[in-house]
Amino acid sequence: MKKIILTGDRPTGRLHLGHYVGSLRQRVELQNSGAYDDIYIMIADAQALTDNADNPEKIRENILEVALDYLSVGIDPDKASIFIQSQIQALTELSFYYMNLVTVARLQRNPTVKSEIEMRGFASDIPVGFFTYPISQAADITAFKATAVPVGEDQEPMIEQAREIVRKFNYIYGDVLIEPEIVLSDNKVCKRLPGTDGKAKMSKSLGNGIYLADDPKTVKEKVMSMFTDPDHIRIEDPGKIEGNTVFTYLDAFSKNEDFEEFLPDYSCLDELKEHYKRGGLGDVKIKKFLVNVLERELGPIRERRAIYEKDIPGVYEILKEGTRKAKETADATLKEVKEAMKINYFDDSALISSQTEKYGG
Ligand code: TRP
């Protein structure tokens, strides 16, 4: 069986470090591993519109931002097809048929939908399109016969629901669709990177994010004002590691080489943590170290972004070519699906001949 990746993001804003450690970094690794036959990365504008119907301009603007973020982290258009969801009609059509395989009760139980409904304060005024987006997400995944879906942990219920739809479809209509596996980041802290305020997760609405496109000065300011241990007042005081955002970020980003390069008094993160716990290590020092660690990662990303920013028409060409290829694949799957469902009337000569016979022809 072919190994195929399909994944994507909603273009509702630029991508941040939470996206990066939660999934983007891993997508690039998977891409470069050479272990996959095809890789599709989707800018999920149609899904973004399910709760932004009144603000299409925002989605339109952010398609380019997300594309630039993808390219700048190292998604390589020669290895992966980056495409725009709304341009692939087959996805809408598949969603329509999958809707018959899912109950309202099942959608209401989907934990991601549930928490998003709470977050946005929806009741029965929820847009139908938003409520049913797990179904459309199953269409996204299955249209490409994806075997692997690298996403953040919050997407787990979506993949589970897609798997159920695949099983139900194949049971009723025969084996056409492939059950996808979720691929999560293996580093625990990376699964849900907190915001710079130490709260919840990084999000645009909370204003606690560090963005891949932030300039060095902004990154530094954000790190220097990061939440640490509120009881660690004087340098001599013993400090806490748990819930200390700077250490959480160091867990997610620092490598042993970073100590050699930026903080040679320590050989590794554990040593730094021990000193902080004992007391005698100030927040400014660990924050400056974190700035260096982040810059080691963000510097090359920013450089690549700058190159692509100089050629926006070229970026649109990449999207156009990715979309062309994605359309080909999704159309082929839709054809198989319609055959399996026996709604391929004009391509089915057996149908016409048997009915001709029935009427004595
Ligand atoms: N729901 C994903 C997000 O919010 C975006 C998405 C849409 C997606 N369709 C997908 C992710 C299919 C993986 C596979 O970021």
Side-chain angles (χ1 to χ4, degrees):
M1 192 168 70
K2 273 191 161 184
K3 291 179 77 180
I4 298 170
I5 288 180
L6 175 288
T7 185
D9 296 274
R10 296 181 189 188
T12 50
R14 294 183 318 183
L15 302 180
H16 51 56
L17 289 183
H19 294 114
Y20 184 67
V21 291
S23 184
L24 291 177
R25 185 163 68 178
Q26 194 191 29
R27 292 178 196 175
V28 176
E29 278 167 22
L30 295 175
Q31 166 196 275
N32 295 337
S33 74
Y36 290 87
D37 298 293
D38 284 306
I39 302 176
Y40 297 94
I41 308 209
M42 180 180 76
I43 304 182
D45 64 332
Q47 186 177 107
L49 285 166
T50 62
D51 65 332
N52 286 282
D54 55 352
N55 200 357
E57 197 55 37
K58 172 171 115 184
I59 308 305
R60 188 181 158 90
E61 288 291 309
N62 280 306
I63 286 177
L64 176 67
E65 294 301 329
V66 171
L68 286 169
D69 285 332
Y70 283 161
L71 293 165
S72 65
V73 296
I75 298 292
D76 176 352
D78 289 332
K79 297 182 182 149
S81 307
I82 308 176
F83 71 97
I84 306 180
Q85 185 185 27
S86 63
Q87 306 307 298
I88 315 288
Q89 291 91 329
L91 299 179
T92 337
E93 212 172 321
L94 286 173
S95 304
F96 192 71
Y97 298 123
Y98 293 173
M99 281 186 187
N100 305 330
L101 309 178
V102 181
T103 64
V104 171
R106 177 62 183 86
L107 282 172
Q108 278 167 337
R109 263 188 287 122
N110 183 311
T112 307
V113 175
K114 228 166 147 174
S115 77
E116 283 176 333
I117 288 175
E118 270 164 37
M119 229 163 64
R120 292 169 173 72
F122 283 136
S124 57
D125 60 344
I126 185 172
V128 173
F130 182 76
F131 181 58
T132 56
Y133 90 74
I135 301 175
S136 112
Q137 191 153 336
D140 303 335
I141 296 167
T142 55
F144 298 91
K145 301 207 168 156
T147 51
V149 186
V151 278
E153 192 186 35
D154 61 319
Q155 295 295 304
E156 215 159 3
M158 297 295 149
I159 313 304
E160 193 42 50
Q161 183 135 30
R163 291 167 61 90
E164 277 176 43
I165 290 174
V166 168
R167 289 196 290 267
K168 190 140 191 204
F169 184 98
N170 287 350
Y171 176 74
I172 299 174
Y173 303 112
D175 278 339
V176 173
L177 304 177
I178 305 288
E179 252 186 81
E181 305 281 345
I182 188 168
V183 184
L184 293 170
S185 155
D186 43 19
N187 182 337
K188 200 166 127 262
V189 287
C190 292
K191 288 188 179 161
R192 187 149 297 202
L193 194 73
T196 51
D197 55 0
K199 281 185 204 133
K201 59 174 184 176
M202 207 173 257
S203 91
K204 194 173 179 190
S205 47
L206 296 170
N208 62 2
I210 296 178
Y211 291 85
L212 294 172
D214 280 348
D215 59 39
K217 186 165 162 277
T218 309
V219 172
K220 184 161 186 207
E221 278 165 12
K222 287 179 178 175
V223 171
M224 295 318 278
S225 63
M226 235 178 199
F227 179 82
T228 56
D229 169 8
D231 299 323
H232 184 245
I233 297 163
R234 289 166 309 163
I235 291 185
E236 314 84 79
D237 293 338
K240 261 206 305 295
I241 306 294
E242 303 78 50
N244 185 323
T245 320
V246 176
F247 280 103
T248 311
Y249 278 50
L250 287 175
D251 276 327
F253 289 97
S254 74
K255 300 180 183 162
N256 284 347
E257 302 91 87
D258 292 324
F259 287 89
E260 216 172 291
E261 194 174 348
F262 308 120
L263 204 59
D265 292 350
Y266 304 85
S267 69
C268 65
L269 186 55
D270 283 340
E271 236 179 68
L272 189 73
K273 285 180 179 173
E274 281 313 312
H275 191 185
Y276 193 81
K277 284 197 261 188
R278 271 202 315 274
L281 177 57
D283 283 355
V284 171
K285 191 159 175 180
I286 57 167
K287 283 178 170 173
K288 282 191 172 151
F289 176 54
L290 177 59
V291 170
N292 283 322
V293 169
L294 290 181
E295 281 306 319
R296 189 245 316 131
E297 196 101 11
L298 287 173
I301 294 177
R302 223 180 267 124
E303 277 167 32
R304 241 178 272 128
R305 197 178 219 274
I307 296 170
Y308 284 109
E309 278 175 358
K310 287 201 192 81
D311 183 18
I312 299 303
V315 174
Y316 273 97
E317 275 309 312
I318 289 171
L319 293 178
K320 200 168 153 189
E321 174 55 23
T323 302
R324 190 197 58 72
K325 173 142 191 248
K327 186 170 156 43
E328 230 172 67
T329 307
D331 283 349
T333 304
L334 178 65
K335 187 158 185 282
E336 273 183 73
V337 160
K338 289 173 100 167
E339 256 166 42
M341 293 176 69
K342 302 205 183 307
I343 52 174
N344 59 332
Y345 316 109
F346 303 133
D347 294 332
D348 188 354
S349 54
L351 168 74
I352 301 172
S353 61
S354 73
Q355 290 186 336
T356 306
E357 230 168 84
K358 177 176 161 193
Y359 283 95

